[in-house]
Amino acid sequence: MPCYSLEGLAPVVHPTAYVHPTAVLIGDVIVGPGCYIGPLAALRGDFGRIVLEEGANLQDTCVMHGFPDSDTLVERNGHIGHGAVLHGCVIGADALVGMNAVVMDKARIGERSIVSAAAFVKAGFECPPQSLVMGAPAAMKRQLSDEEVAWKQRGTREYQELARRCLASMVECQPLAEVEAERPRMGDTGFRPKGDKSL
């Protein structure tokens, strides 16, 4: 992965975390145990500190950045969808930020909350735990049910398992010229039982 020390501060990646080789880590970045960081994610610790706590995931093309002396933090089991931008904010434990959402400086998303796809969370916004946050600008719409939180937690566990799968078996390769006869599907590889519809 492109990984850069800046002014003597090098990124820290726990050995059980998976960071895709195309993700970029710069400076004061801390990636905890069991995290997953997807392709083309950018974690720029060139001003403030960037932290992903244990079990968090940051998916494809996400950006984490912040102003000087700020922390941009995804707490334990946080789940950040494709293309989201986090800037100087805190995403609470077990919360989800949807695809292409933007969360701005000094915003705090409460634990077990969900920020909908394409939401724009203004600077300084705060929501209580287990909230649904939607809109541009975003507002708290309602409390989440326990079933909705459980749905989110299943998705996060899939990304924690994906980190383990990638560490164990992802290798760069050349593409095949043709599709093999009886090509297996990803669920047939042994990582998920056939017929599992848990997501």
Side-chain angles (χ1 to χ4, degrees):
M1 85 196 84
C3 188
Y4 302 94
S5 172
L6 182 64
E7 296 173 351
L9 274 176
V12 178
V13 177
H14 193 275
T16 62
Y18 176 78
V19 180
H20 190 273
T22 62
V24 179
L25 281 60
I26 299 170
D28 194 4
V29 174
I30 302 168
V31 179
C35 289
Y36 172 88
I37 297 177
L40 304 173
L43 294 83
R44 284 183 47 207
D46 48 14
F47 291 128
R49 177 168 288 175
I50 307 299
V51 180
L52 277 83
E53 292 185 349
E54 181 178 2
N57 70 77
L58 186 75
Q59 297 173 22
D60 321 51
T61 72
C62 289
V63 174
M64 290 182 71
H65 193 238
F67 288 126
D69 301 320
S70 70
D71 286 358
T72 305
L73 171 62
V74 179
E75 293 182 347
R76 190 172 187 273
N77 296 330
H79 188 112
I80 312 302
H82 315 290
V85 176
L86 308 180
H87 201 278
C89 57
V90 175
I91 308 304
D94 218 10
L96 180 149
V97 175
M99 293 182 276
N100 291 315
V102 175
V103 185
M104 293 299 294
D105 302 274
K106 297 186 179 176
R108 180 170 183 95
I109 303 304
E111 62 186 27
R112 299 182 314 282
S113 293
I114 294 177
V115 176
S116 72
F120 178 77
V121 178
K122 292 167 62 172
F125 177 90
E126 292 193 32
C127 70
Q130 207 159 320
S131 299
L132 176 63
V133 175
M134 300 176 70
M140 182 195 154
K141 297 300 182 183
R142 61 177 174 81
Q143 289 294 115
L144 292 171
S145 68
D146 291 341
E147 291 77 15
E148 289 168 315
V149 172
W151 169 83
K152 180 270 169 201
Q153 291 169 335
R154 284 195 301 274
T156 300
R157 285 193 297 273
E158 287 291 328
Y159 270 91
Q160 291 164 348
E161 180 61 24
L162 181 59
R164 291 186 285 272
R165 291 169 56 199
C166 290
L167 285 170
S169 69
M170 185 180 285
V171 294
E172 191 169 358
C173 68
Q174 293 298 313
L176 302 175
E178 296 180 13
V179 177
E180 318 94 295
E182 299 187 30
R183 179 180 173 90
R185 292 188 167 272
M186 198 56 71
D188 299 335
T189 61
F191 287 106
R192 183 189 294 180
K194 274 188 170 181
D196 182 356
K197 307 280 192 223
S198 62
L199 274 183

